[in-house]
Amino acid sequence: MKRKRRDDDEEEDNEGKRRRRRREEKECKHKNTTGCVTSVVRVSVPVHPSKLANRKKGVREQLDAKTLRHHDGFGGVLVKYEELSIVNEDENGGETILPASSYVNVKAMVKATVFAPKMRSYLIGKVNKIGQDHIGLVVGNIFNASIPIEKFKENMMFDESKNAWEIIEDGTENNDGDEEESDESSSMSMKEIKVGSRVKFRVEKVNREDDRVVLLVGSLLGKGCGPVDSSRQGDDDEETINGTDAAAEDDADEEEAKRDKKRKKKEKKEKKEKKEKKEKKEKKEKKEKKEKKEKKAKKAKKEFSPSSSE
């Protein structure tokens, strides 16, 4: 009796796990497929003392160096950033000198786009390599991904003449008992995965070397995984991780830097001219004062000096 109850409890636990897994996969399906999250982040950035005169520029240089690298402060790979501002908590901005270093920790707020795909999340990549034992993809035109053959669907066959993987769908695979979405693939169809195809896959592993993402390992065994309808051109905007926007922002930053440099040059010139004008005026006044004093002394000497006749 006890054994039967224990078996029932284990069955309920397994069923609960299966439900949670289906729910997680269903939720992932409706999330963005770029692996990126954009949010306002507060970070501490080490800046060299020589850059403290222009903290914003110093922080920007450090963040530029960290772009497309994993950064713990952002919780992932920094793809791009904008709306940078320096946080001033008190007179010195709450800054501290790093131990055993001359660098100063400068606090800043920034709107960052971070690539941080979670395990079992779903991404869309563009196929750039087809092999008989794997499929190579690129996500967002930046990050490489690979799907090994052991993570392929059972109904996939390699067509050597086309250099493509064919998938025969009969509407029953990967349903996992989810009756709510079974109507989506109720009819039999043939799909191809070839170079240039857009494919949805599930993240199984993120291989990272130092602070760079080297390779994503994916799977086609998840719900809804496989080639994405090429007619859905709207997804291309999601697929590219704001590459065009990033370039535009780089140009905007460059223009802003040029304007800032021009403005500072103008201010420096005006300040110099003002200083020279002031110095010239002071010099003139000093000269006039000296001449006046000499003239007065000469006059006084002439008045009080004994005449030659006396």
Side-chain angles (χ1 to χ4, degrees), residues 247-296:
E249 283 171 11
D250 288 341
D251 292 340
D253 288 342
E254 192 176 341
E255 287 298 321
E256 185 183 349
K258 285 181 181 177
R259 286 195 298 269
D260 191 46
K261 189 177 179 180
K262 194 174 179 181
R263 188 182 71 253
K264 285 182 179 179
K265 191 176 179 181
K266 187 179 178 182
E267 288 175 355
K268 191 177 179 180
K269 188 179 177 182
E270 288 175 351
K271 193 176 179 180
K272 187 179 178 181
E273 288 175 351
K274 193 175 179 181
K275 188 180 178 181
E276 287 176 351
K277 193 175 179 182
K278 188 180 178 181
E279 286 176 352
K280 193 175 179 180
K281 187 180 178 182
E282 286 176 351
K283 193 176 180 180
K284 187 180 179 182
E285 288 175 352
K286 192 176 180 180
K287 187 180 178 182
E288 287 176 352
K289 193 176 180 181
K290 187 180 179 181
E291 288 175 351
K292 194 175 179 181
K293 190 177 180 181
E294 286 176 352
K295 193 176 180 181
K296 191 176 179 182

Side-chain angles (χ1 to χ4, degrees), residues 163-225:
N163 193 34
W165 282 93
E166 294 181 340
I167 305 174
I168 301 173
E169 295 184 341
D170 58 5
T172 60
E173 68 278 354
N174 293 324
N175 277 339
D176 291 335
D178 193 347
E179 297 178 357
E180 296 178 4
E181 300 186 7
S182 61
D183 293 337
E184 293 182 3
S185 54
S186 57
S187 59
M188 184 174 290
S189 61
M190 169 104 49
K191 293 182 179 180
E192 283 184 347
I193 297 178
K194 56 187 178 181
V195 173
S197 297
R198 295 165 61 252
V199 175
K200 184 175 183 179
F201 66 94
R202 186 175 67 199
V203 177
E204 296 292 315
K205 191 176 180 182
V206 180
N207 289 331
R208 184 161 62 88
E209 182 179 330
D210 297 329
D211 56 355
R212 288 182 179 273
V213 171
V214 176
L215 183 69
L216 299 171
V217 179
S219 169
L220 293 175
L221 300 177
K223 177 70 179 177
C225 289

Side-chain angles (χ1 to χ4, degrees), residues 33 123-127 137-140 197-201 239:
T33 51
L123 302 179
I124 290 179
K126 192 171 185 178
V127 176
L137 311 95
V138 61
V139 178
S197 297
R198 295 165 61 252
V199 175
K200 184 175 183 179
F201 66 94
E239 208 177 299

Side-chain angles (χ1 to χ4, degrees), residues 39-177:
S39 62
V40 176
V41 183
R42 177 177 174 141
V43 290
S44 293
V45 182
V47 175
H48 193 271
S50 63
K51 304 290 184 181
L52 292 178
N54 190 338
R55 286 169 169 77
K56 192 171 183 179
K57 184 180 178 182
V59 170
R60 188 181 292 277
E61 288 177 358
Q62 289 293 319
L63 291 179
D64 287 344
K66 294 181 184 298
T67 303
L68 297 185
R69 292 176 177 269
H70 186 276
H71 191 282
D72 291 337
F74 292 106
V77 177
L78 178 62
V79 176
K80 68 167 190 169
Y81 67 91
E82 56 188 341
E83 298 178 16
L84 172 64
S85 62
I86 304 302
V87 177
N88 292 314
E89 294 181 332
D90 46 40
E91 291 181 359
N92 66 349
E95 296 162 2
T96 55
I97 298 176
L98 294 173
S101 169
S102 60
Y103 280 73
V104 177
N105 247 341
V106 177
K107 293 181 173 61
M109 297 289 287
V110 64
K111 185 178 180 182
T113 299
V114 178
F115 182 70
K118 298 186 182 300
M119 301 298 290
R120 303 188 71 79
S121 63
Y122 289 79
L123 302 179
I124 290 179
K126 192 171 185 178
V127 176
N128 59 1
K129 186 176 182 181
I130 290 289
Q132 295 188 19
D133 60 352
H134 78 288
I135 294 173
L137 311 95
V138 61
V139 178
N141 291 332
I142 300 175
F143 303 102
N144 291 319
S146 178
I147 304 173
I149 192 169
E150 57 266 24
K151 297 295 182 180
F152 284 10
K153 297 175 184 288
E154 291 182 358
N155 55 346
M156 291 178 65
M157 293 184 298
F158 184 69
D159 189 329
E160 195 170 351
S161 62
K162 295 181 180 178
N163 193 34
W165 282 93
E166 294 181 340
I167 305 174
I168 301 173
E169 295 184 341
D170 58 5
T172 60
E173 68 278 354
N174 293 324
N175 277 339
D176 291 335

